[in-house]
Amino acid sequence: MRARVSNFAVKTKDVSDSLTSEKGDMMMLNTRLLTLALTMAFVLLLPQTASTQGLGAREDNTALQGTNLTYYPQPNFGQCQADCASNGNCKGFTWIQAGTYKAGDAAMCYLVSAVTGKSSARGHFSAVKGSGGTSLGAREDNTALQGTNLTYYQQPNFGQCQADCANNANCQGFTWIQAGTYNAGDAAMCYLLSAVTGRSSARGHFSAIKGGGGGGGGGGTLKGEWDLRCCNDELGWTLSITNQEGATFSGSFSANTGGGVVTNGRLRGNTIEFDRVFGSSRQHWSAQLVNDGGRLRMINGVWTGDYLDRYQGRNNWHAEKK
């Protein structure tokens, strides 16, 4: 009888030890799961580095300036990013980390309909849509753009003028003129440009260029190489515009078929003209500059001067920027 009791006591102790061991294992497992869950939550709340649907790379400690589309509490950077990516009117966003200004402040998401600039700001994380060249650069105060006008109209709001350009594929830049800049009763005006050739200082004018470029080689400038065809397309050159200052430019024709240098180049509105000098010969070339779906072209061109007698009735030309 004592042996049976003793054996029972041993078995009871074994079961108790087993239960204690299993309980310890369960507690350890629960602890690990809780740690994993907290780690995942922390990672999700951290700013993510991947770009999403046209948004550029994340810019740490950077706040966007411009026109707010909306803003709201949002604890997750990735969701703020996704909200901008899926909103056709959102051109960029800034996510502000919780507690950036005060300990109890919630994390905030700001969606921006027009981005005009950036500033350094601790705890701010931003990205701009289409930052490879389709977004507008920083606002340039007291600056007027020169080039080819796409359209112009009365617009009392700078942000709306900016948004109109940002949403127009043919707009390469814009200038907004403050009301009363020239005369007390003048309305504020918005000028959208299809080609930007330069800048000039002008009080009360506020401008921006797509892609942040300017007179030095952006998508709407003359500078670069052009495929030029002449004389019912019988002749062809590469026209290289290598220097540009505002509305004036110079360059050269490729060496084939006489070559030559380009002098006295000037853009007047949407009319482009220049002189071609080769050897002792000189010609004057002119055409209309247009933006065709984002590609610059010179159309309806004519030239006069030396050798016109050989190409009478065929002194036409056109060019397209490469």
Side-chain angles (χ1 to χ4, degrees):
M1 183 67 179
R2 288 181 180 176
R4 289 181 181 178
V5 172
S6 177
N7 289 338
F8 178 77
V10 171
K11 289 180 180 179
T12 302
K13 184 177 184 302
D14 290 342
V15 171
S16 176
D17 290 344
S18 177
L19 289 173
T20 301
S21 177
E22 289 180 6
K23 185 177 181 181
D25 290 343
M26 287 296 294
M27 290 180 64
M28 185 176 293
L29 178 60
N30 288 338
T31 301
R32 288 176 178 173
L33 289 173
L34 179 60
T35 301
L36 178 61
L38 290 173
T39 301
M40 290 177 67
F42 179 72
V43 169
L44 288 172
L45 288 174
L46 284 176
Q48 300 166 17
T49 57
S51 60
T52 302
Q53 297 182 26
L55 283 162
R58 189 191 77 198
E59 299 180 53
D60 294 353
N61 297 314
T62 300
L64 299 184
Q65 299 166 343
T67 305
N68 285 332
L69 181 64
T70 186
Y71 58 94
Y72 48 91
Q74 174 51 257
N76 190 302
F77 171 91
Q79 187 58 54
C80 182
Q81 183 183 47
D83 290 348
C84 181
S86 60
N87 188 323
N89 293 321
C90 181
K91 303 304 179 186
F93 73 94
T94 293
W95 181 76
I96 306 176
Q97 206 166 33
T100 293
Y101 293 102
K102 295 179 181 178
D105 287 350
M108 296 292 294
C109 178
Y110 284 76
L111 305 188
V112 183
S113 61
V115 179
T116 60
K118 301 171 184 176
S119 62
S120 178
R122 181 184 61 84
H124 293 58
F125 302 86
S126 303
V128 177
K129 202 177 267 186
S131 55
T134 59
S135 62
L136 284 158
R139 190 183 76 189
E140 301 179 42
D141 294 353
N142 297 313
T143 300
L145 298 184
Q146 299 166 343
T148 304
N149 286 331
L150 181 64
T151 185
Y152 58 93
Y153 48 91
Q154 293 184 9
Q155 175 51 255
N157 189 299
F158 169 88
Q160 188 58 54
C161 180
Q162 183 181 49
D164 290 346
C165 181
N167 295 323
N168 188 324
N170 292 323
C171 181
Q172 300 301 320
F174 74 94
T175 293
W176 180 77
I177 306 176
Q178 203 167 37
T181 293
Y182 292 102
N183 298 299
D186 288 349
M189 296 292 295
C190 178
Y191 285 77
L192 306 187
L193 284 78
S194 61
V196 179
T197 59
R199 301 172 171 87
S200 62
S201 178
R203 180 184 62 84
H205 292 58
F206 302 85
S207 303
I209 296 175
K210 257 183 193 172
T221 66
L222 297 176
K223 195 173 178 181
E225 292 190 340
W226 298 71
D227 181 19
L228 188 151
R229 300 291 171 179
C230 167
C231 314
N232 293 344
D233 290 349
E234 293 177 18
L235 304 176
W237 294 271
T238 294
L239 171 64
S240 298
I241 297 179
T242 52
N243 300 294
Q244 182 180 352
E245 292 185 12
T248 64
F249 62 91
S250 61
S252 62
F253 279 63
S254 55
N256 58 297
T257 321
V261 296
V262 172
T263 64
N264 301 321
R266 178 170 292 277
L267 183 65
R268 304 176 188 273
N270 64 340
T271 299
I272 189 168
E273 55 184 338
F274 57 86
D275 292 332
R276 176 193 175 205
V277 180
F278 52 109
S280 59
S281 301
R282 178 181 290 269
Q283 298 168 338
H284 184 74
W285 296 56
S286 62
Q288 299 298 303
L289 182 68
V290 298
N291 187 306
D292 185 5
R295 182 177 290 273
L296 287 181
R297 298 174 60 211
M298 302 179 193
I299 63 172
N300 302 326
V302 294
W303 60 269
T304 58
D306 291 332
Y307 297 99
L308 180 60
D309 56 333
R310 297 186 186 181
Y311 294 93
Q312 194 67 46
R314 294 179 293 142
N315 59 326
N316 53 71
W317 68 279
H318 59 93
E320 184 172 305
K321 194 173 184 182
K322 294 184 178 180

